[in-house]
C-alpha cells in the first residue's frame, strides 16, 4: 500500500449493513473491517471495468446513467 492513505467515511443503509456484517462473519472473520472494505471495493472496480469492456464489445447500453462518466 502507498505511504499516503486517505480516510473515507461511508453511511450504509440497514440492509447493506446487515449484508456486510453477515459477509464479515462468514468470509472475513480474520480480517479487519478496513481490509474487507478495500477488498470489496477492488472487486467492485474490477467487475465494473470488465462490464465496461464487455459493453464496448457488444455496443449495447450498460445501464449507466445518461449523465454519468
Amino acid at each position: 500500500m502507498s505511504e499516503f492513505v486517505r480516510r473515507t467515511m461511508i453511511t450504509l443503509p440497514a440492509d447493506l449493513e446487515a449484508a456486510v456484517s453477515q459477509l464479515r462473519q462468514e468470509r472475513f472473520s480474520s480480517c479487519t473491517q478496513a481490509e474487507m472494505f478495500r477488498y470489496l471495493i477492488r472487486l467492485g472496480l474490477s467487475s465494473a471495468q470488465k462490464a465496461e469492456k464487455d459493453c464496448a464489445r457488444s455496443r449495447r447500453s450498460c445501464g449507466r446513467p445518461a449523465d454519468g462518466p
Side-chain angles (χ1 to χ4, degrees), residues 4-69:
F4 178 75
V5 178
R6 182 176 180 157
R7 286 182 179 246
T8 303
M9 184 187 327
I10 61 170
T11 303
L12 298 175
D15 61 327
L16 283 180
E17 196 278 328
V20 166
S21 292
Q22 182 176 358
L23 184 65
R24 185 164 184 213
Q25 289 174 355
E26 293 173 359
R27 294 194 49 207
F28 296 94
S29 60
S30 62
C31 298
T32 66
Q33 189 176 48
E35 289 170 323
M36 178 188 70
F37 277 112
R38 284 191 291 267
Y39 173 82
L40 293 173
I41 290 168
R42 285 185 184 109
L43 183 63
L45 290 171
S46 176
S47 177
Q49 289 172 347
K50 183 182 180 314
E52 284 292 322
K53 288 178 186 176
D54 291 346
C55 182
R57 283 188 207 126
S58 65
R59 297 179 188 257
R60 61 187 160 101
S61 173
C62 293
R64 187 175 39 187
D67 61 337

